[in-house]
Amino acid sequence: MPHVTARVLPPSPLAGSPLAPVVSDEVADALAGGRPVVALESTLLAHGLPAPRNRATAEVLERTVRDRGAVPATVAVLDGRPRVGLDAAALDRVCGDDLVKLSVRDLGAAAGLGRDGATTVAATAWLAAAVGIALFATGGLGGVHRGARDSWDVSADLGVLARTPVAVVCSGVKSILDVGATLEVLETDSVGVVGYCTDAFPGFYRRDSGHPVPWRADTPAQVAAVWAAHRATGAGLVVAQPVPAAAELDETLHDRLLAEGLAMVAERRIAGKDVTPALLEHFHSGSGGASLATNVALVEANAALAADVAVALAGRAGVSRR
Ligand code: PSU
Ligand code: MN
């Protein structure tokens, strides 16, 4: 792995820990110079998108961030070591091998046992924050599952954002979840929620989940200003951007796939961390690729917005330093 060295940035609270990420030179230099960096998640590559589309998407996401003037930092665990900033060979491994899905609670086991794994929103946000990255782009956030009153299945994404100062640009949460309950938990946890150019919390494949957002921002500079202020609370921020209108999934198709997918998961007694990947796979196979196009379009748009906000944020920091 040519440009990846075991550099741990000075203020890292993880220095000396087996979980201290290996930061690529490019990302470490950008952070040291106060230049904009955007973290990207690997579970959406390893479990959210089928091969070979995942590898092509990884490439597009990194290029999108670069084209906007920021440095991409894809996060994963390889050989037990968390990595922030992946080279081409590392991205091949993330998109090719059947990597396990790692949330924060799995990082210690993966490190101790020397395993590879793809990081969820929770694990990516946690590792990004540990090296000083404040912005992160993904597709959809995990949340409160339907039936959570009985199953207790609430994504660790929510609890981690409650105590991790990272802004996550996403397209809301999928309607496979209980969207209303997810928004309630975000409120309880003091995680900020801002709609980007929308008054409606997005439902991933659909632009409107049927729930309102508490706040709205209409420019990257406004999002940067909100985040620059909110981060002092120590909690994260959800920046919710709807999928571009042209790529939105047809409503009838969406509702049918949702009903079928939920029935399939119940019938096969799929539970825990396997629920989200199983439902995503059902959407992809059942829509003849339409949901895949939607998924790729929204992550790309989120990477672009996160980069624009990172650039605006770096500009603000420059102003306040002067
Ligand atoms: N939602 C999506 N696509 C995804 C995920 C969520 O629309 O790929 C992934 C993210 O990595 C998220 C994780 O952090 O699933 C949440 O999983 P769980 O519900 O098991 O916490
Ligand atoms: Mn879960």
Side-chain angles (χ1 to χ4, degrees), residues 13-48:
L14 296 180
S17 163
L19 292 187
V22 175
V23 182
S24 73
D25 281 347
E26 186 191 19
V27 171
D29 287 346
L31 288 170
R35 292 190 298 280
V37 177
V38 172
L40 298 167
E41 183 216 328
S42 49
T43 292
L44 88 91
L45 299 173
H47 296 284

Side-chain angles (χ1 to χ4, degrees), residues 53-186:
R53 192 67 184 269
N54 56 358
R55 186 62 179 85
T57 303
E59 202 75 43
V60 170
L61 295 181
E62 297 223 334
R63 192 175 341 115
T64 300
V65 170
R66 279 184 214 288
D67 286 351
R68 304 265 174 161
V71 171
T74 304
V75 176
V77 175
L78 294 175
D79 305 313
R81 202 67 205 273
R83 291 177 182 271
V84 174
L86 302 183
D87 61 16
L91 284 174
D92 286 345
R93 276 171 74 179
V94 168
C95 295
D97 304 345
D98 205 7
L99 291 205
V100 297
K101 173 176 160 186
L102 305 176
S103 194
V104 174
R105 69 104 173 243
D106 305 303
L107 292 174
L113 302 172
R115 302 284 166 77
D116 291 350
T119 50
T120 63
V121 168
T124 306
W126 190 80
L127 290 166
V131 301
I133 299 175
L135 270 157
F136 164 27
T138 186
L141 197 65
V144 180
H145 282 259
R146 293 171 184 236
R149 186 178 299 203
D150 298 312
S151 68
W152 293 71
D153 191 352
V154 177
S155 176
D157 291 358
L158 302 183
V160 169
L161 283 181
R163 54 190 159 85
T164 309
V166 166
V168 182
V169 180
C170 64
S171 296
V173 302
K174 284 206 180 71
S175 42
I176 59 176
L177 301 175
D178 183 333
V179 182
T182 302
L183 286 165
E184 291 295 345
V185 171
L186 289 170

